[in-house]
Amino acid sequence: MIKNSYPLENTSKKLKSSVYITTFSTKTPIVNHVSELVKSETINTFICSTTLNTFTKSLSDSNTFSLKKSLHSYCPNIYFNNHDACNSLKHLYNDINKTQIKNNSSIILVISDNIFTSKKVKSEIAFFEKIQTLAIEKSLTINVLIYGRDIHLIKKMISQHPNLCVGYSSLQSIDKKTFLYHVYYWGLNTGMRGDSETYLTLNDDQSLTPQSKMGNAQTASPLNIDDESTIYISHTAIEKNQKTSDAMICSSNNDSLEKSLTTISRATIVLSCSTKNEVRLLGISIYKLRKTFGHHIKIIIREMQPCLRYSDEMYLLQSGINLIIHFGTRFSSMLSSIEILRGQILTRALPSSTEELLNFHSQTEKIKGYTTNDRFIDYTSESLVHLDISQTEFALIKLELLPNISPEAYLNMCQIQREGDVMTVCTSAIYLFLQGVRMTDLPVALRNIFTLPIRDIFSSQTSFTTVGSIERELPNITQHAVIIENKSAPEEGLTRSSEDYSAPVILAKHKPLDF
């Protein structure tokens, strides 16, 4: 642990009658943060919006033990929610009112991001106003810790209503061991602390250590050459018979292009990608180029065949690219994009090492289609750990069945094509787990999976897009499990076509209206 100072804040100088908000992109750093707060401040009360089991479910045993030990040693009043079904801001504030909070003390309030939705902004603002009033009435210092993938909703709300708290900061994970701590504003008894950023390293004992300024900064180019207009491009990123400009320096392939780069400062590098198998090594090459030549160069990937999935794009983004030119984009349009990038600097933080970079690379399992209830739960739980680290969007879809159609019959209508996407059947619903899918693409994905429109064959649709919401829903699959007989069940891990069934299934068909 750091001596004489704590990296996130100077806790000895916090103001009374004030609210401080810190958002966390992952749950793990909260354990260290809570442990330090209860030791350094007079924390009288700890309140968590979820159940103890839900909060500690994705934590390691050592982190869970450390959290419990710190709370029981330093905090006299500890409260967790009794049931996740009561997880709302209204219930939370009512529970806070019922607790006996000591005047002139500090409290910790841990909230999951799934309470906050973009449709209830007024109620969320009202919640923080009530918390602020409570802090003033009882002279409290309230530490609000919010964690999850959707903390951007909270950031947006606080940026539009900065008067809701006297201090706001965020801790964003760069990789497993590196975090970016951003203080937007932080009120102290010595004055207001302004905008600042600090890179932190997570040690083996779960403590956070500030990195040196040399380690924090993006690597600068060793040269200062005016090569802004120069484009280094691989021949594999150019179509046949395509003419190139005089500003382009061509190499036979990506490898030879990378080896030829020795003295560049602000130039543009265009690499090709034609198959999914190239993505992993391509990301490592990009990362090394970025580390070697700094943040002024522009690195572009040109997709020559439709091969990049959303998860691949996120991996390449973490490796340090500026832009992906998707398949089908004209060569002239790519040149226009290069013109737009000129003069720009990449400010995105990079992983600390190639090993940490590879944590963002999603190795899709060789499984797709129908699987049993137990295997579906195990596979989903295992995938969530990696997807959360790689910062890739995912979704668990619950489709309520119509009463006049048997669960087995729905297998006839499902055609999963992508590897890594699985489904299972329960007594009253079908569950789909789609990894590497944007929320905006869900309607298209479902249309590609089912042969008939969703609204015609299901009574309702529910999407779960956060780790917490999926972890709470998975036990419902076990409670409503279905054992499909071998004669009608498809081979596990495979999608079944309608020709595989001997018994015909009568389904509704669209017919034109007769006027």
Side-chain angles (χ1 to χ4, degrees):
M1 193 59 58
I2 303 171
K3 296 181 179 180
N4 302 325
S5 68
Y6 182 52
L8 294 192
E9 58 191 57
N10 190 341
T11 54
S12 62
K13 295 184 180 180
K14 279 184 181 175
L15 300 171
K16 290 293 182 182
S17 304
S18 302
V19 177
Y20 293 83
I21 301 175
T22 302
T23 57
F24 298 79
S25 60
T26 58
K27 193 187 301 181
T28 303
I30 290 185
V31 176
N32 174 261
H33 190 57
V34 169
S35 298
E36 288 301 317
L37 283 178
V38 296
K39 292 176 184 177
S40 57
E41 294 188 30
T42 310
I43 299 295
N44 176 263
T45 305
F46 173 91
I47 301 173
C48 184
S49 66
T50 64
T51 63
L52 175 62
N53 182 55
T54 299
F55 184 74
T56 59
K57 193 168 187 178
S58 58
L59 295 176
S60 64
D61 292 340
S62 60
N63 278 334
T64 302
F65 175 79
S66 175
L67 176 67
K68 292 181 178 179
K69 181 180 179 181
S70 298
L71 290 176
H72 286 295
S73 300
Y74 298 98
C75 185
N77 301 302
I78 305 169
Y79 301 97
F80 284 88
N81 201 341
N82 282 332
H83 199 282
D84 283 322
C86 300
N87 191 11
S88 68
L89 291 176
K90 182 180 179 180
H91 284 100
L92 180 59
Y93 183 73
N94 290 337
D95 290 341
I96 294 173
N97 271 336
K98 294 176 183 177
T99 58
Q100 300 298 321
I101 301 176
K102 184 180 178 181
N103 291 355
N104 295 304
S105 65
S106 297
I107 73 171
I108 297 175
L109 187 57
V110 178
I111 308 176
S112 173
D113 66 339
N114 55 25
I115 287 185
F116 301 92
T117 63
S118 58
K119 299 178 181 178
K120 300 180 180 178
V121 177
K122 289 184 178 180
S123 63
E124 292 163 3
I125 294 173
F127 170 78
F128 283 104
E129 288 175 344
K130 292 177 181 178
I131 292 295
Q132 196 174 44
T133 302
L134 179 67
I136 295 172
E137 290 176 350
K138 293 197 171 188
S139 297
L140 301 176
T141 299
I142 301 180
N143 303 280
V144 182
L145 313 181
I146 306 172
Y147 66 92
R149 295 169 63 95
D150 293 333
I151 54 176
H152 60 277
L153 299 174
I154 294 94
K155 290 182 179 180
K156 179 182 178 181
M157 179 188 65
I158 296 175
S159 63
Q160 294 174 347
H161 303 86
N163 59 324
L164 294 176
C165 58
V166 300
Y168 173 56
S169 61
S170 67
L171 190 69
Q172 178 70 36
S173 63
I174 305 303
D175 53 48
K176 279 185 176 181
K177 295 291 185 181
T178 308
F179 295 86
L180 174 62
Y181 180 60
H182 190 158
V183 176
Y184 297 90
Y185 55 92
W186 204 257
L188 304 171
N189 57 7
T190 55
M192 182 65 72
R193 179 180 171 186
D195 188 56
S196 66
E197 288 185 348
T198 306
Y199 285 86
L200 306 173
T201 299
L202 184 66
N203 302 315
D204 293 336
D205 61 354
Q206 301 304 311
S207 62
L208 293 169
T209 306
Q211 297 180 2
S212 64
K213 291 186 178 181
M214 289 294 292
N216 295 344
Q218 290 278 4
T219 308
S221 176
L223 300 172
N224 189 19
I225 304 171
D226 186 14
D227 58 354
E228 188 83 47
S229 60
T230 305
I231 301 173
Y232 294 87
I233 187 170
S234 169
H235 268 300
T236 53
I238 306 173
E239 296 91 346
K240 291 182 180 180
N241 302 322
Q242 175 64 54
K243 293 183 179 180
T244 59
S245 65
D246 295 335
M248 290 185 175
I249 300 175
C250 300
S251 298
S252 57
N253 52 46
N254 290 344
D255 291 335
S256 60
L257 174 59
E258 184 181 355
K259 293 176 182 178
S260 67
L261 300 174
T262 55
T263 56
I264 61 172
S265 178
R266 293 173 172 80
T268 300
I269 303 168
V270 182
L271 303 170
S272 67
C273 184
S274 299
T275 65
K276 183 176 175 60
N277 295 333
E278 300 177 46
V279 175
R280 184 178 184 275
L281 294 179
L282 192 57
I284 296 175
S285 299
I286 294 166
Y287 180 80
K288 291 179 179 178
L289 287 173
R290 181 64 69 188
K291 283 290 187 178
T292 302
F293 298 108
H295 53 278
H296 286 278
I297 64 170
K298 291 82 182 172
I299 304 177
I300 295 175
I301 298 297
R302 191 172 191 210
E303 187 184 30
M304 303 307 292
Q305 294 294 330
C307 59
L308 293 177
R309 291 179 59 166
Y310 161 62
S311 55
D312 298 326
E313 295 174 355
M314 293 299 294
Y315 166 67
L316 294 174
L317 183 71
Q318 296 296 332
S319 68
I321 63 167
N322 295 84
L323 184 67
I324 295 177
I325 305 295
H326 288 287
F327 175 74
T329 304
R330 294 181 302 172
F331 193 79
S332 58
S333 298
M334 182 188 72
L335 296 180
S336 299
S337 299
I338 293 175
E339 288 290 339
I340 295 172
L341 287 178
R342 284 182 182 170
Q344 297 186 19
I345 299 173
L346 184 75
T347 57
R348 187 185 305 115
L350 299 178
S352 56
S353 64
T354 53
E355 290 75 15
E356 292 296 338
L357 170 67
L358 291 175
N359 287 325
F360 292 92
H361 184 241
S362 177
Q363 294 284 358
T364 304
E365 296 286 341
K366 300 295 183 181
I367 180 176
K368 65 178 180 180
Y370 170 81
T371 187
T372 62
N373 298 141
D374 292 338
R375 178 64 186 121
F376 180 89
I377 293 172
D378 293 339
Y379 174 77
T380 302
S381 301
E382 293 168 3
S383 300
L384 286 178
V385 176
H386 177 79
L387 292 171
D388 196 37
I389 294 172
S390 62
Q391 301 176 16
T392 303
E393 293 184 52
F394 49 83
L396 176 71
I397 313 298
K398 179 182 180 181
L399 300 167
E400 296 279 353
L401 308 183
L402 293 173
N404 58 336
I405 304 180
S406 66
E408 293 83 356
Y410 277 96
L411 297 178
N412 230 357
M413 299 176 259
C414 183
Q415 298 178 353
I416 294 179
Q417 303 297 329
R418 296 196 321 168
E419 290 184 344
D421 293 344
V422 295
M423 65 161 288
T424 195
V425 181
C426 294
T427 54
S428 60
I430 276 183
Y431 284 89
L432 295 167
F433 180 68
L434 309 179
Q435 56 172 304
V437 60
R438 292 184 178 91
M439 299 307 102
T440 54
D441 295 336
L442 273 181
V444 177
L446 292 175
R447 283 200 299 269
N448 292 335
I449 290 174
F450 292 96
T451 55
L452 292 174
I454 295 295
R455 65 180 182 274
D456 291 353
I457 57 177
F458 295 102
S459 60
S460 67
Q461 172 188 333
T462 308
S463 301
F464 306 92
T465 58
T466 63
V467 174
S469 61
I470 293 178
E471 287 177 343
R472 287 193 297 273
E473 183 62 26
L474 288 179
N476 292 331
I477 298 177
T478 304
Q479 295 176 9
H480 302 91
V482 168
I483 300 176
I484 299 179
E485 297 180 5
N486 292 333
K487 64 180 181 180
S488 62
E491 183 181 347
E492 186 176 343
L494 297 176
T495 301
R496 187 173 178 183
S497 63
S498 58
E499 287 79 5
D500 296 329
Y501 289 89
S502 56
V505 179
I506 301 175
L507 302 174
K509 295 183 179 180
H510 289 279
K511 294 183 178 180
L513 295 176
D514 186 12
F515 293 101

